[in-house]
Amino acid sequence: MTPAIAAVDTLIDTAVGQRPDLEATGRALQASSTLVTGARADLKSRLDLQVGSWFTALGEGSGPKALDRWVGPSAGVGLEYEKPLGNNLARGVLAQREAEVLQRQIDQRDLDRRIRLGVVEAAGTLEEAAARVAQAEAAVGFF
C-alpha cells in the first residue's frame, strides 16, 4: 500500500469517526430497533394482575359529615387475560417498524458511503492540485 493510499484510509477513518450525523443515524437505527421489539411484544397474549385497596366515606353533604363515617379498608384483586385473534393493527405496526429499521439501515450505509466518497474525491482533487502546482513551478523554472 502506497503512503498516499494509507493517508487516504486514515483520513476516511477520521472523517467517519468525527461525523455527528453518522452517529445520529446510528442512534436512530437503535431507536427503530427498540420500537420493533415493542411492536413484537404487542402481538403476544397479555395477562394482567389488578390489585387495589381503598376507603369509602359514607356521609353526604359537607366535608366534616363525610369525613366522620369511613368504611374500609376495602380491597380487590382481579386477573385479565387478552388473546388477540386477528390483531391486524399490531401486525401492521410491526411491519411498519421493521420497514423503518430497514430504511434507517439504508440511510446509515448511504451516509457512510457518501462520507468515504467525499474524502476520496477531496484527496484526488488535492493530488491534482499538487500536480498543477508542480507543473506551474516547472513552467516558471523553464521561463
Side-chain angles (χ1 to χ4, degrees):
M1 189 181 307
T2 65
I5 293 174
V8 170
D9 287 343
T10 303
L11 288 173
I12 288 173
D13 293 340
T14 303
V16 168
Q18 291 182 350
R19 291 290 296 260
D21 53 346
L22 186 61
E23 182 182 345
T25 58
R27 289 186 182 194
L29 178 61
Q30 289 175 346
S32 295
S33 298
T34 302
L35 291 174
V36 166
T37 304
R40 281 196 184 113
D42 288 343
L43 290 175
K44 297 178 183 177
S45 299
R46 192 177 77 204
L47 178 64
D48 291 333
L49 173 64
Q50 301 165 347
V51 178
S53 63
W54 63 92
F55 284 87
T56 305
L58 296 177
E60 295 181 9
S62 65
K65 287 183 184 178
L67 295 176
D68 284 343
R69 300 182 56 204
W70 285 96
V71 176
S74 300
V77 177
L79 286 174
E80 182 179 331
Y81 179 73
E82 180 180 327
K83 173 70 176 160
L85 297 177
N87 213 4
N88 293 332
L89 176 66
R91 290 180 196 277
V93 169
L94 176 60
Q96 182 180 3
R97 299 294 185 223
E98 289 172 342
E100 288 173 2
V101 167
L102 293 175
Q103 184 63 47
R104 301 269 188 233
Q105 288 173 345
I106 290 168
D107 291 345
Q108 186 180 32
R109 288 182 196 138
D110 183 55
L111 182 59
D112 184 70
R113 180 192 59 80
R114 285 187 285 137
I115 291 169
R116 292 172 187 277
L117 183 60
V119 171
V120 170
E121 286 176 348
T125 303
L126 186 61
E127 288 175 5
E128 290 174 7
R132 276 189 250 131
V133 167
Q135 286 177 350
E137 287 177 346
V140 168
F142 290 132
F143 183 68

